[in-house]
Amino acid sequence: MMERDLMDIRAETDELTTDKMWVIMGPQHPFSHGLWTLKVELDGEIITDAEPIVGYLHRGWEKECENRPYAKIVPMADRLCYAASMTYSHLYCMTVEKALDIEVPEKAQYIRVVSDEICRISSHLMWLAAVGTDLGNFTVFLWCMREREYWMDLFVRLCGARMTTNYPRIGGVRNDITDLFDRDVDRCTEHFEKSLWDIITLIDDSSIFVSRMKGTGILTREQCVNLGITGPAMRGNGVDFDIRRDDPYETYGKIDFEVPVMNDGDSYSRYMVRVEELFQSCRIIKQAMQKIRAIGKNAPYRLKVPTNVPACTAMCRLEDPRGESLMYLVADGSGKPYRLKVRSPIFTNVSASKPLVVGSRIADVPAIMAMIDMCLGETDR
Amino acid sequence: MDTNAVYQKPSEDEIKTLLSEKFGDSVQVTKTETRRVYAIVKRESIHKVCEYIHDNLTFEHISTVIGVDMVSNMRVVYHINNYFNGCVIELTVDVPNEDLHIASISDIWVGGNWHERETWELFGIFFDGHPKLERLLTPDTYEFYPFRKSYKMRGQE
């Protein structure tokens, strides 16, 4: 009797009709990593439609550059994204060097490789910390931020700043690496390779993490490529492409490393790709440091460059921690850029948020969007 | 050369030959470097060229759609990327100031959708056939195109 009653109730609930409802998440919401809105249409708790809205942080960065000498854009470039600040200054310097048609000294190239990889590690740790808070695990956040501090200290040794690291220069880098940096980078790498396992174990043993990440936010390879998603989010979808390996810049062609690729296309594979990238970055740093030591202390690390760039166009791209960053420079022969365009990876990744979240539950949205590794400063520029 | 075949890893010279064979005067390949091909395309044939590059040369990813104000005319630059060999094609299209319209390519690569919206709102170049040409980064109330050279910032001459 009791059982039949329950079955009747269940049958009744199956026939319930629900109204669809728009829920606005953000601009300031615990789920949003920065200022942006995600409007989602809900049917019960299943998302049926979504629309991302950005533009809250638009600063007109590209227009601002048209009003400044080339050298004075370098400290502006690292403001694009505080987590990957060095890669943007590096990209800008590389673009201007390409327009000037000069090659920087080999030592500077290796130092830039090291600084880029430190940037990648600190950015990925920041992401992992954010994933920890998104999924309600504060220990992951604390442990990741603690590990990140060691890499931040290396930034201080390298250039004197922690966040907005204004270190690469057009024609090389600002200064040679110091003895303190040389000593600490090995210690830091060895320590990190061990301590990262603690964090991985903490996450992989937690059923909250694994069940939220496995099987959510699934895209096929074709969808992912057509939507323009790049970086670790793309390599989690089975696309075997990394600009460092397949279109090498600086001295990445001389360094031996692997590109992690996963084929599942869900949030968990994106997480796995990033974690594997952390280990590969340590491998790159070790090899590049060996090369820097072999080159010796008195080798040149910076060239003298002209202030004016001849009239031309130049395009450069590099593998940002989040994906493909590209800069396009139109020079008119004067001391200021005629037009400088930044292609940031997250701008396109955010535009793909509708296909990522449609069909999943609203509770999965923070996990899915966290796996894209949001940074709204570089989205809006 | 059979232009219907699908090339996963076309070399720079192959791309140059295929484009000039297929499109004649509409596409002019100006320069090739290692993993880079630069071409100037006529405005009328941009959609066909992009379709061909996507379908037959397996360039699956569009990196950017860039607007440049050259004062005498507007310019749209496309960077299209191949995941099999890391090659990038740069297409440059000149759009006259009197008729700022160009065909949208966001039906070929969905990733181009927001880049075209951004180019429209900042330069005023209309992408015909775009599914949703609305303001993205700037407020809806703007009635000007802030990245044009005619728009001066405070302190700019």
Side-chain angles (χ1 to χ4, degrees):
Chain A
M1 185 66 193
M2 181 74 181
E3 205 171 291
R4 200 185 300 152
D5 279 357
L6 279 174
M7 281 174 75
D8 286 348
I9 292 168
R10 201 174 297 149
E12 251 176 47
T13 47
D14 281 349
E15 286 164 15
L16 273 179
T17 51
T18 50
D19 283 336
K20 289 186 177 174
M21 180 171 74
W22 280 97
V23 173
I24 296 172
M25 305 173 87
Q28 284 137 332
H29 187 276
F31 117 92
S32 66
H33 297 195
L35 287 176
W36 74 295
T37 304
L38 184 67
K39 278 168 74 179
V40 290
E41 193 192 45
L42 293 178
D43 182 7
E45 61 172 329
I46 307 290
I47 293 167
T48 51
D49 196 1
E51 191 193 353
I53 299 166
V54 297
Y56 298 100
L57 294 170
H58 186 55
R59 293 163 286 177
W61 192 90
E62 293 159 20
K63 183 83 174 172
E64 196 78 40
C65 288
E66 291 170 16
N67 205 17
R68 266 156 214 272
Y70 283 99
K72 288 192 179 178
I73 297 170
V74 179
M76 257 171 74
D78 50 51
R79 264 74 177 172
L80 279 169
C81 172
Y82 69 90
S85 50
M86 203 94 97
T87 40
Y88 274 102
S89 324
H90 179 191
L91 177 60
Y92 169 71
C93 292
M94 244 176 20
T95 314
V96 179
E97 282 152 14
K98 189 162 187 206
L100 286 167
D101 198 18
I102 55 170
E103 196 179 344
V104 297
E106 199 184 10
K107 187 173 191 182
Q109 293 190 24
Y110 277 116
I111 296 175
R112 283 176 175 190
V113 167
V114 171
S115 59
D116 266 18
E117 293 308 317
I118 295 177
C119 223
R120 192 180 314 277
I121 290 172
S122 71
S123 169
H124 280 0
L125 281 173
M126 184 90 188
W127 156 81
L128 201 52
V131 171
T133 48
D134 279 341
L135 293 176
N137 194 332
F138 198 61
T139 316
V140 171
F141 171 81
L142 285 178
W143 287 12
C144 290
M145 287 312 237
R146 185 190 63 197
E147 294 308 320
R148 189 167 173 265
E149 277 308 305
Y150 296 114
W151 297 103
M152 293 275 110
D153 285 348
L154 277 183
F155 272 150
V156 177
R157 300 257 189 281
L158 198 61
C159 63
R162 280 164 54 84
M163 301 290 273
T164 46
T165 45
N166 170 17
Y167 179 60
R169 289 285 185 278
I170 301 165
V173 289
R174 195 181 77 189
N175 50 273
D176 201 351
I177 54 166
T178 57
D179 292 339
L180 277 175
F181 178 84
D182 198 358
R183 190 195 69 192
D184 288 354
V185 69
D186 284 349
R187 283 186 191 176
C188 196
T189 319
E190 274 162 30
H191 168 78
F192 180 66
E193 279 176 327
K194 286 178 200 145
S195 58
L196 184 56
W197 280 109
D198 297 342
I199 304 170
I200 295 171
T201 318
L202 196 64
I203 291 175
D204 277 351
D205 284 354
S206 160
S207 58
I208 296 172
F209 271 96
V210 176
S211 59
R212 275 275 176 247
M213 291 194 292
K214 268 200 176 151
T216 59
I218 296 179
L219 289 180
T220 61
R221 183 196 180 278
E222 283 67 33
Q223 276 178 321
C224 172
V225 164
N226 202 261
L227 287 163
I229 295 175
T230 49
M234 170 189 81
R235 288 191 283 278
N237 276 53
V239 186
D240 190 6
F241 182 76
D242 190 311
I243 299 171
R244 291 175 293 169
R245 183 194 63 192
D246 299 316
D247 188 8
Y249 51 93
E250 305 294 16
T251 47
Y252 274 112
K254 299 177 191 167
I255 291 173
D256 179 35
F257 64 100
E258 283 164 26
V259 177
V261 177
M262 301 280 286
N263 292 311
D264 294 345
D266 59 355
S267 296
Y268 191 71
S269 58
R270 286 172 202 137
Y271 153 77
M272 286 294 283
V273 165
R274 284 204 178 85
V275 168
E276 187 57 41
E277 272 188 8
L278 287 169
F279 288 112
Q280 293 299 329
S281 292
C282 290
R283 201 172 147 192
I284 295 171
I285 289 173
K286 279 184 198 164
Q287 289 178 44
M289 283 309 294
Q290 277 177 0
K291 296 274 172 65
I292 291 171
R293 283 168 199 140
I295 289 169
K297 272 212 148 186
N298 297 321
Y301 55 85
R302 195 173 164 187
L303 292 177
K304 278 192 175 174
V305 290
T307 48
N308 287 15
V309 175
C312 66
T313 61
M315 184 273 283
C316 249
R317 59 175 184 164
L318 59 70
E319 189 71 32
D320 193 71
R322 295 176 180 75
E324 177 194 6
S325 291
L326 186 146
M327 270 195 197
Y328 180 74
L329 171 74
V330 182
D332 60 351
S334 70
K336 294 172 185 174
Y338 186 78
R339 165 103 170 102
L340 183 66
K341 158 80 186 177
V342 187
R343 186 255 190 221
S344 59
I346 294 302
F347 182 72
T348 333
N349 291 7
V350 171
S351 74
S353 48
K354 180 182 169 181
L356 273 168
V357 299
V358 165
S360 56
R361 287 165 200 279
I362 191 163
D364 286 333
V365 171
I368 294 169
M369 293 321 290
M371 292 305 154
I372 291 291
D373 194 2
M374 307 284 287
C375 175
L376 272 300
E378 67 172 69
T379 306
D380 294 346
R381 303 182 300 282
Chain B
M1 207 177 277
D2 181 14
T3 48
N4 291 321
V6 174
Y7 288 86
Q8 271 205 338
K9 293 181 176 181
S11 67
E12 296 83 6
D13 292 334
E14 269 178 335
I15 294 170
K16 188 177 175 179
T17 325
L18 285 167
L19 284 179
S20 49
E21 269 183 15
K22 177 87 179 163
F23 296 101
D25 293 343
S26 311
V27 180
Q28 184 197 345
V29 177
T30 49
K31 196 170 62 165
T32 53
E33 291 170 10
T34 321
R35 292 187 294 277
R36 298 281 185 278
V37 177
Y38 302 89
I40 296 172
V41 183
K42 282 193 178 154
R43 178 171 62 139
E44 295 75 30
S45 43
I46 182 68
H47 194 271
K48 274 184 193 166
V49 172
C50 285
E51 216 163 27
Y52 178 76
I53 288 172
H54 177 264
D55 295 347
N56 296 52
L57 305 180
T58 60
F59 278 66
E60 298 175 288
H61 168 67
I62 187 147
S63 292
T64 48
V65 179
I66 301 170
V68 186
D69 183 0
M70 302 305 288
V71 181
S72 57
N73 62 289
M74 288 283 174
R75 182 175 283 177
V76 184
V77 184
Y78 300 83
H79 289 107
I80 306 163
N81 184 3
N82 188 326
Y83 281 143
F84 297 101
N85 58 0
C87 188
V88 179
I89 299 183
E90 182 181 304
L91 301 178
T92 310
V93 186
D94 280 340
V95 185
N97 279 338
E98 304 80 50
D99 183 26
L100 289 170
H101 285 267
I102 187 168
S104 164
I105 49 91
S106 59
D107 55 332
I108 305 169
W109 295 283
V110 182
N113 187 314
W114 274 26
H115 290 294
E116 290 187 339
R117 274 174 78 174
E118 191 195 338
T119 310
W120 166 73
E121 70 170 332
L122 299 175
F123 288 94
I125 303 167
F126 289 86
F127 291 87
D128 299 334
H130 190 282
K132 193 178 183 182
L133 211 56
E134 288 175 14
R135 287 202 174 268
L136 185 70
L137 296 172
T138 50
D140 291 336
T141 49
Y142 274 26
E143 288 174 353
F144 49 88
Y145 299 111
F147 275 28
R148 283 190 183 175
K149 287 284 170 189
S150 55
Y151 181 83
K152 300 288 181 197
M153 290 194 314
R154 193 166 47 187
Q156 200 177 14
E157 287 158 20

